[in-house]
Amino acid sequence: PPPLVPPAPPPAGIVVDLDADGEEIYSDRKVEALRRNGLVVYVRRPVAYLEERIRRKERKLGGNSQRPQLSASKSFRAIMKRRGPWYEQAADLVLDGCTSSGAPVPKEELVARMLEFYYAESGNEPDLRRGCKMARSYWGVLGHLGASIPEEL
C-alpha cells in the first residue's frame, strides 16, 4: 500500500504537460510520479471559490500573491474547466471541498475522509496520532472519525 505521507513531492506536482503547440495535455508521466509517492486526492471546489481565495490572498499581501499567471491568453475559469476532468481522472479520491451552499468543508472533515479512505484502501490499522499530522486539529479529526478521547490525554 502507498505511504500515508509521501517522502518527497514529485516533479512539478501537476497533471499536465505541454504538447508541441504549447497546449496543455493530460500527463500520464506526471500522474504516475504522483501515484508512486502516495495517494492522489483532489479536493474539488467551485472556480468562484478559488478565485475569491486568490483575491483575498492578494489583498492580504498588498496586491501581490506571488502566484504566477497560469496563462497569458486563457482565464483561470477556462483553465480550471479544462483541467477539472484531468484532476478527477488522476485522483484516487475526489472530495467536494465546499457544501452545496458554497461554504467550505472544514479541513478536519476532509482529512478524516482522506484517512478513512487510506485505511480502507491500504488495509493498515488506523494510527490517528501519525495520521493527524496532516490536520490542523487533532481533536477535530478524532471527532469526525467518531473516536472517543482517552482519559489519559
Side-chain angles (χ1 to χ4, degrees), residues 62-82:
N64 181 7
S65 71
Q66 305 276 327
R67 182 182 181 88
Q69 286 291 98
L70 292 177
S71 171
S73 61
K74 293 184 175 97
S75 71
F76 180 74
R77 185 170 297 279
I79 291 168
M80 293 306 294
K81 182 177 180 180
R82 181 175 170 101

Side-chain angles (χ1 to χ4, degrees), residues 120-137:
E121 290 295 307
S122 69
N124 291 330
E125 290 296 316
D127 178 351
L128 295 177
R129 287 189 188 276
R130 183 171 152 239
C132 291
K133 289 179 183 178
M134 294 186 297
R136 185 180 288 199
S137 167

